[in-house]
Amino acid sequence: MPAPTKGPRLGGGPAHERLMLNNLAAALFEHKRITTTVTKAKRLRPVAERLITFAKRGDLASRRRVQAAISARTNTNKGIIHELFTEIAPQLSERNGGYTRITKIGNRKGDNAPMAVIELVLEPVSAKQAVVKEAEKAAEKSAPKADATVEAPAEETAAEAPAEAEVTEAPAEDAAEAPAEEKADDAK
């Protein structure tokens, strides 16, 4: 849980701030992106990501915690909670955090307040991260098999080791001769 902020809250006391952030989170889940001030967006991010983490768990206790945060007295908010648990959480199941993105869009015309768009990151995890996960799974599956195969051909690997050493020494000698030849060419 983040440390409470010092100084004035967002327009009132702590209870008002909590209600305002929960309402912003409900709007974020309903519309997938909202435009607000940069300060509110930064304060909303941990609240929304915590609620998404509860939704990813999917059990009854998590649903009740989300309902307590997003007041479920109206049918609209019940629909938002249902959408969060059935549509948004499965889309974000592969992602380990970083469910929201804040993009600054300039200042508001009336009072020159810095504005930002906060949106849910619903794109799938990047291909690079997916390849890494597949490689880790393959390594876990092949690890027990690798232990069994290492013990059996131990005699063969001992016989192959000197041949590999000879191969590595040969290019090293060529590499040592090459700079000497280059120096001779440079001297001419």
Side-chain angles (χ1 to χ4, degrees), residues 5 34 61 69-70 109 137 152-153 159 165:
T5 58
I34 56 173
I70 299 173
K109 187 173 182 181
K137 289 179 183 177

Side-chain angles (χ1 to χ4, degrees), residues 52-81:
I52 292 170
T53 303
F54 285 133
K56 282 175 60 176
R57 290 183 197 163
D59 58 347
L60 182 62
S62 298
R63 184 176 287 269
R64 286 182 176 163
R65 285 191 72 168
V66 172
Q67 285 176 342
I70 299 173
S71 178
R73 293 184 205 130
T74 64
N75 287 333
T76 305
N77 286 354
K78 287 181 183 177
I80 292 169
I81 293 169

